[in-house]
Amino acid sequence: MRLPRTDAVLVQAVIAGALSFAHLHDLAQAAGQYGWKAWAYPVSVDLLLVAAWHRMRVLRAANSPASAAWTWFAIALAASLGANVATAGLLDLGHVPAWLRILVAGWPALAFFGGTLLAHGATGTTQSAEPEMENELPLYETEIAPPPTTVTVPKPEPVEAPEAVPALPSAPPSPPQAVPVPAALVEHARKIADDHRARTGTPIDPDTLRVRLGVPPHFADAITAQLA
């Protein structure tokens, strides 16, 4: 049986987190926070640190400014690093100065405020469905409308007038040809029709479909016929 391989990075992270947790607990207890409150301080600092780091990654992926997340990450890191340094013998834990007691006592309100801003800040990724459809319209219009072509008409040569011939009966009008519709446009129209039926309970009519897609009336009629 092969034993699982130990991840050295994970072991190092667990050790460092445990030491930082203990230092924060000792500092909070020395500042007058006893019992469960002394254990809650390191949890609050570490959670704010992780939340700020996660928020920075989300904003970076959305190409949004992450200055606020960086600020709260720096505050949580300073609180954790400050506790580690303070408990290294540079501070007499038996006689904690008043300013440090004030900082420790005011940390819950500061952490709650920072966590609320991080949790409810805008990510910049929310967009409405209508602008997306408008951005896709030029693609469908390009597929539908053929590129303009320049036709050179040759100069007619003079010809002799033909002899009069009896008029032939006019041919019956040819039936209208089906309008070719791209498959991608039909699928997009089907999604719009399904959304309209889900919201209103009635099938979409050609005029509404034409406005939503931005296509000529004959295209809207042809698409509606395919959706039926």
Side-chain angles (χ1 to χ4, degrees):
M1 180 178 179
R2 187 176 180 180
L3 297 177
R5 185 178 179 181
T6 304
D7 190 348
V9 177
L10 180 60
V11 174
Q12 176 66 21
V14 171
I15 295 175
L19 291 174
S20 178
F21 191 93
H23 292 162
L24 284 165
H25 168 268
D26 295 344
L27 183 63
Q29 192 173 29
Q33 307 296 326
Y34 302 105
W36 67 270
K37 293 184 289 184
W39 293 106
Y41 272 86
V43 176
S44 175
V45 173
D46 292 341
L47 284 181
L48 183 61
L49 193 67
V50 174
W53 175 254
H54 175 72
R55 188 65 175 175
M56 283 189 296
R57 293 186 60 186
V58 172
L59 293 175
R60 224 178 330 180
N63 294 326
S64 300
S67 56
W70 272 110
T71 300
W72 290 109
F73 180 81
I75 292 174
L77 183 62
S80 178
L81 185 60
N84 296 333
V85 175
T87 55
L90 302 180
L91 180 67
D92 185 5
L93 297 182
H95 301 83
V96 177
W99 61 268
L100 185 56
R101 291 177 179 270
I102 294 174
L103 288 179
V104 173
W107 171 258
L110 181 64
F112 178 78
F113 180 68
T116 302
L117 292 181
L118 291 173
H120 298 283
T123 59
T125 59
T126 304
Q127 296 179 355
S128 60
E130 293 300 328
E132 292 181 358
M133 292 189 296
E134 293 178 359
N135 293 335
E136 294 177 358
L137 288 180
L139 173 61
Y140 301 131
E141 292 177 358
T142 303
E143 295 180 357
I144 296 172
T149 56
T150 303
V151 180
T152 303
V153 180
K155 185 177 181 181
E157 298 180 357
V159 295
E160 297 180 356
E163 298 180 357
V165 294
L168 298 176
S170 58
S174 58
Q177 299 180 355
V179 179
V181 182
L185 183 57
V186 175
E187 291 298 325
H188 185 60
R190 193 179 304 279
K191 294 179 181 179
I192 295 177
D194 293 342
D195 179 70
H196 182 83
R197 182 184 294 273
R199 288 187 294 101
T200 63
T202 58
I204 192 170
D205 57 285
D207 291 336
T208 303
L209 185 63
R210 177 180 60 81
V211 174
R212 295 288 300 273
L213 293 177
V215 297
H218 61 282
F219 271 100
D221 295 337
I223 295 172
T224 305
Q226 294 192 28
L227 294 179

